[in-house]
């Protein structure tokens, strides 16, 4: 993960949105034809666009009020326990029209792009009814076609038990499996299915049932695991050989071994640890030493991680998880791309891949993790097209 294959004085040739040649200036210069447009990066760092493999980018409203309550001492779980948290975003999102969701989604798409992200995995999960989950997934589809940002959609109907099912969770699990999942897959609205496996949300048995049904219907699998407690999520991910297990703040050595034997990629989300005011970061070093292809992502959402900025995540990874800046960059580019089944298309600058790249306003990539709280990108290109900020 430390080997970035940096080319000094490098150049890229791009045709029809794809990279056709990568090499030194001397190698690429002779290929510049009369119809080529030359873009001089001025000695700056040119990198693949960030691939953010865990986000919740379609929701209505914000939770700035709860943020203030947490500042005055309430905890995330206390707020959730009194009907706030995910449930307050569910209430707002159920009331929103599809146009509302696309409009706010475009605002966040701009934030992702201007901070250097060109692909996001995008979860539903703030609807929790058939119609509202479809509304969110269709909004993701619209955003994917109307924005230069690429969205990889994930069905997260099992994000929380909706209030109308609080005393009969099993009926909600059946609704998910028998009615919502089949509609999501028949309309081809998702590539992955995810579950929030946590005490008081979905148990290990519920999660197994939902994910097995999703696999039978052709979806890839991801899992919110061991975020707030050691709930057995990492072990379940290993048993089901999911693509990823995400969060892992409470995962122990046994869980790490299980991930390794199950071939599961850990997705670490330090933004949510930071924003919840916790100091319990996941054991990134142990996971890297175990040979796991660690992924870093923003977890962008209105509650636990209100940031889309991957460079903030790079800062947190070095400061609190002792990841080398180079390891962090691997984690949110090529490793993230593989976790989304897009390893041959994005995540590195190689011939044949999409020309999703960022010119950062620095000459040393380590500055991306070192200077924090600023926007590093100077120019962002998605599929070869220069992104103009809105
Ligand atoms: O990944 N853990 C569950 N879901 C989100 C939080 C969503 C919210 O607070 O709205 C997460 O942290
Ligand atoms: Fe999440």
């Amino acid at each position: 993960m430390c080997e970035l294959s940096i080319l000094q004085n490098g150049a890229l040739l791009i045709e029809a949105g794809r990279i056709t040649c990568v090499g030194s200036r001397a190698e690429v210069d002779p290929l510049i034809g009369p119809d080529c447009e030359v873009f001089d990066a001025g000695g700056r760092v040119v990198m693949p666009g960030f691939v953010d493999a865990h986000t919740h980018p379609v929701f209505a409203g914000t939770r700035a009020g709860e943020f203030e309550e947490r500042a005055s001492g309430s905890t995330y779980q206390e707020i959730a326990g009194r009907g706030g948290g995910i449930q307050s975003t569910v209430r707002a999102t159920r009331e929103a029209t599809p146009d509302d969701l696309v409009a706010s989604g475009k605002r966040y798409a701009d934030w992702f792009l201007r901070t250097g992200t060109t692909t996001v995995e995008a979860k539903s999960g703030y609807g929790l009814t058939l119609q509202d989950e479809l509304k969110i997934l269709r909004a993701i589809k619209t955003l994917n076609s109307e924005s230069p940002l690429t969205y990889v959609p994930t069905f997260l109907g099992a994000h929380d038990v909706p209030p109308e099912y609080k005393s009969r969770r099993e009926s909600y699990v059946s609704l998910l499996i028998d009615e919502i999942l089949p509609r999501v897959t028949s309309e081809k609205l998702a590539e992955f299915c995810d579950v929030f496996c946590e005490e008081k949300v979905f148990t290990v048995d519920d999660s197994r049932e939902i994910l097995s049904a999703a696999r039978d219907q052709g979806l890839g699998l991801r899992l919110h695991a061991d975020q707030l407690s050691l709930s057995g999520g990492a072990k379940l991910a290993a048993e089901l050989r999911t693509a990823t297990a995400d969060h892992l703040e409470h995962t122990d050595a046994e869980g790490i071994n299980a991930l390794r034997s199950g071939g599961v990629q850990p997705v670490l989300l330090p933004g949510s640890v930071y924003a919840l005011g916790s100091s319990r970061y996941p054991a990134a070093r142990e996971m890297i030493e175990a040979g796991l292809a660690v992924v870093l992502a923003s977890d962008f959402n209105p509650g636990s991680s209100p940031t889309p900025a991957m460079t903030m995540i790079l800062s947190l990874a070095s400061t609190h998880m002792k990841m080398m800046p180079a390891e962090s960059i691997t984690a949110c580019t090529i490793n993230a791309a593989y976790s989304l089944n897009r390893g041959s298309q994005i995540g590195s600058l190689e011939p044949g891949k999409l020309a999703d790249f960022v010119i950062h306003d620095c000459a040393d990539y380590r500055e991306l993790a070192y200077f924090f709280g600023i926007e590093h990108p100077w120019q962002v290109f998605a599929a070869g097209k220069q992104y103009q900020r809105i």
Side-chain angles (χ1 to χ4, degrees):
M1 287 177 67
C2 268
E3 289 165 23
L4 296 183
S5 311
I6 296 172
L7 284 177
Q8 301 296 339
N9 301 314
L12 293 170
L13 191 69
I14 290 154
E15 269 179 84
R18 292 202 175 255
I19 299 169
T20 52
C21 181
V22 184
S24 63
R25 280 292 301 269
E27 285 165 315
V28 175
D29 268 347
L31 306 174
I32 301 177
D35 53 346
C36 283
E37 186 194 337
V38 178
F39 198 98
D40 185 355
R44 295 178 177 85
V45 167
V46 180
M47 264 186 27
F50 294 121
V51 177
D52 190 342
H54 183 135
T55 84
H56 307 248
V58 175
F59 55 85
T62 73
R63 303 226 292 273
E66 290 182 5
F67 172 74
E68 190 177 48
E69 282 177 55
R70 282 193 279 118
S72 63
S74 300
T75 67
Y76 183 72
Q77 284 101 318
E78 279 163 11
I79 293 171
R82 49 180 190 253
I86 293 174
Q87 290 305 337
S88 63
T89 301
V90 168
R91 283 191 294 278
T93 306
R94 284 178 176 179
E95 278 173 24
T97 65
D99 286 349
D100 295 336
L101 295 180
V102 170
S104 61
K106 283 190 177 164
R107 178 176 183 229
Y108 306 133
D110 176 60
W111 293 356
F112 280 111
L113 287 159
R114 63 196 286 173
T115 51
T117 296
T118 46
T119 298
V120 294
E121 181 259 11
K123 302 176 195 295
S124 66
Y126 291 117
L128 315 184
T129 65
L130 171 65
Q131 287 314 326
D132 292 304
E133 285 297 304
L134 293 176
K135 178 174 74 179
I136 295 168
L137 290 167
R138 289 176 188 142
I140 292 171
K141 193 173 174 181
T142 305
L143 288 163
N144 194 36
S145 65
E146 294 184 1
S147 159
L149 184 65
T150 298
Y151 291 75
V152 179
T154 292
F155 173 56
L156 178 58
H159 193 194
D160 202 357
V161 181
E164 60 278 17
Y165 282 91
K166 263 294 175 250
S167 56
R168 43 193 187 110
R169 202 183 64 243
E170 329 70 61
S171 312
Y172 184 62
V173 172
S174 307
L175 176 78
L176 282 171
I177 294 175
D178 301 334
E179 290 180 41
I180 310 186
L181 249 177
R183 274 297 289 279
V184 168
T185 48
S186 71
E187 280 194 40
K188 294 194 170 32
L189 288 171
E191 294 181 29
F192 289 91
C193 179
D194 189 351
V195 174
F196 185 18
C197 178
E198 188 68 51
E199 222 178 294
K200 298 200 190 135
V201 194
F202 294 96
T203 64
V204 167
D205 288 338
D206 298 332
S207 306
R208 184 187 291 106
E209 211 183 322
I210 298 163
L211 291 178
S212 305
R215 165 171 290 157
D216 290 345
Q217 299 192 32
L219 297 184
L221 309 181
R222 316 179 88 77
L223 184 66
H224 279 70
D226 302 337
Q227 177 185 11
L228 305 171
S229 61
L230 182 54
S231 57
K235 285 192 193 158
L236 176 67
E239 175 195 321
L240 297 174
R241 304 185 83 86
T242 58
T244 66
D246 304 40
H247 278 288
L248 307 174
E249 286 86 335
H250 290 264
T251 303
D252 56 9
E254 236 180 276
I256 293 174
N257 276 333
L259 294 177
R260 193 178 45 184
S261 47
V264 180
Q265 282 189 262
V267 180
L268 308 183
L269 310 164
S272 65
V273 182
Y274 167 79
L276 292 181
S278 160
S279 52
R280 183 151 192 148
Y281 287 87
R285 281 257 59 89
E286 285 80 348
M287 294 180 196
I288 293 172
E289 300 325 329
L292 291 167
V294 168
V295 177
L296 281 171
S298 71
D299 195 16
F300 175 64
N301 75 70
S304 65
S305 192
T307 183
M310 280 310 307
T311 50
M312 178 67 197
I313 304 304
L314 298 183
S315 166
L316 292 171
S318 287
T319 311
H320 291 285
M321 287 153 51
K322 302 298 170 208
M323 286 177 68
M324 300 295 111
E327 291 172 328
S328 298
I329 285 171
T330 301
C332 58
T333 53
I334 191 72
N335 282 6
Y338 273 99
S339 86
L340 294 174
N341 237 338
R342 296 278 203 290
S344 62
Q345 295 298 309
I346 53 173
S348 61
L349 301 180
E350 293 179 81
K353 287 198 170 184
L354 274 174
D356 283 358
F357 64 96
V358 181
I359 306 175
H360 290 287
D361 196 14
C362 55
D364 178 341
Y365 73 86
R366 293 173 300 186
E367 289 187 15
L368 299 179
Y370 163 66
F371 285 120
F372 70 95
I374 60 157
E375 274 183 22
H376 289 277
W378 177 60
Q379 300 292 341
V380 177
F381 289 78
K385 283 210 179 68
Q386 195 176 347
Y387 174 64
Q388 309 284 354
R389 290 172 173 196
I390 56 174

